[in-house]
Amino acid sequence: MKFYLTLLIAFIGNCMFGQVNDLHLTNALVVGQLDKPEDRYTVEINLTELLTDAGIKAIPSLNMMKLGSDASLLAKDSIQKVIAAKGIDTYVIVSVRGFDRNFKPTKRSDDLNSALGAGSLFPIYREEVVSVSFEFLFYRNGQFVGSDIVKCGNVSERDTVIKRFRKKLSKRIVKKWK
């Protein structure tokens, strides 16, 4: 009986926390869901650079549409065909989940159109905050395939957030996403 209980707990734990273990990311369109254009640009460019350094073909969404455009435009069939023609079948949607260390990866599995239409509530950095949690949603061929949270602690200014983001994410990409 203990064996079956242990097996059940291991299976449930793997389903809940192991969503990104089988991601095998080979290409990605990076979509930043941030209100401020400079935050969106910074996150998309940094993540694209980190993915490219890891050998993953990556393009920022800013190359596919104008700065300040709504990310839900990427859900249109005409733009998706252009993206597919460039060899991209995976979307990575990045947003700030909040300013706490207690967040867990999301269990929701919205479709790509809903996820691209969702807004962001938080900027990259806020005064008197020491931790920022970034959420990553992965969609392959329009279907939800996983999510991940990266927590950046010990932040005191916007530049520190970006430095911690790059450091933590470079390790995460190699260990879990690739």
Side-chain angles (χ1 to χ4, degrees):
M1 184 67 179
K2 288 181 185 179
F3 173 75
Y4 291 116
L5 183 59
T6 306
L7 188 62
L8 178 66
I9 290 171
F11 177 73
I12 291 172
N14 190 29
C15 290
M16 288 176 55
F17 300 111
Q19 288 188 6
V20 260
N21 289 341
D22 296 331
L23 193 57
H24 303 297
L25 196 60
T26 57
N27 60 64
L29 177 74
V30 178
V31 181
Q33 286 189 324
L34 299 156
D35 288 338
K36 292 183 180 179
E38 63 270 11
D39 287 350
R40 181 176 173 192
Y41 176 80
T42 302
V43 167
E44 284 191 18
I45 296 302
N46 279 293
L47 181 54
T48 301
E49 185 178 306
L50 291 171
L51 290 170
T52 304
D53 289 347
I56 299 169
K57 181 180 178 181
I59 300 173
S61 70
L62 296 171
N63 286 0
M64 303 307 296
M65 58 187 186
K66 293 180 182 177
L67 185 64
S69 297
D70 188 20
S72 62
L73 293 174
L74 295 170
K76 293 189 175 189
D77 288 337
S78 59
I79 294 179
Q80 285 187 351
K81 287 178 184 176
V82 171
I83 293 168
K86 292 184 181 235
I88 304 293
D89 67 350
T90 306
Y91 289 63
V92 179
I93 301 175
V94 186
S95 63
V96 175
R97 181 78 179 263
F99 302 103
D100 193 0
R101 294 185 179 153
N102 298 327
F103 292 108
K104 302 286 184 221
T106 187
K107 293 179 181 135
R108 70 172 195 237
S109 58
D110 296 336
D111 64 335
L112 181 61
N113 296 341
S114 299
L116 288 172
S120 174
L121 299 174
F122 306 109
I124 287 179
Y125 176 73
R126 190 182 298 175
E127 292 292 323
E128 300 179 10
V129 170
V130 294
S131 178
V132 179
S133 296
F134 290 91
E135 180 177 45
F136 300 87
L137 301 175
F138 299 92
Y139 290 86
R140 187 168 287 135
N141 298 320
Q143 300 297 318
F144 178 78
V145 292
S147 65
D148 200 4
I149 295 275
V150 172
K151 300 166 188 169
C152 302
N154 266 347
V155 296
S156 58
E157 59 186 22
R158 186 179 186 275
D159 291 338
T160 310
V161 173
I162 301 303
K163 186 177 9 173
R164 300 257 194 268
F165 176 82
R166 288 185 61 86
K167 183 178 180 181
K168 288 200 172 228
L169 208 54
S170 63
K171 293 176 185 175
R172 181 70 54 101
I173 290 168
V174 173
K175 289 182 181 178
K176 288 191 172 186
W177 296 3
K178 197 169 175 185

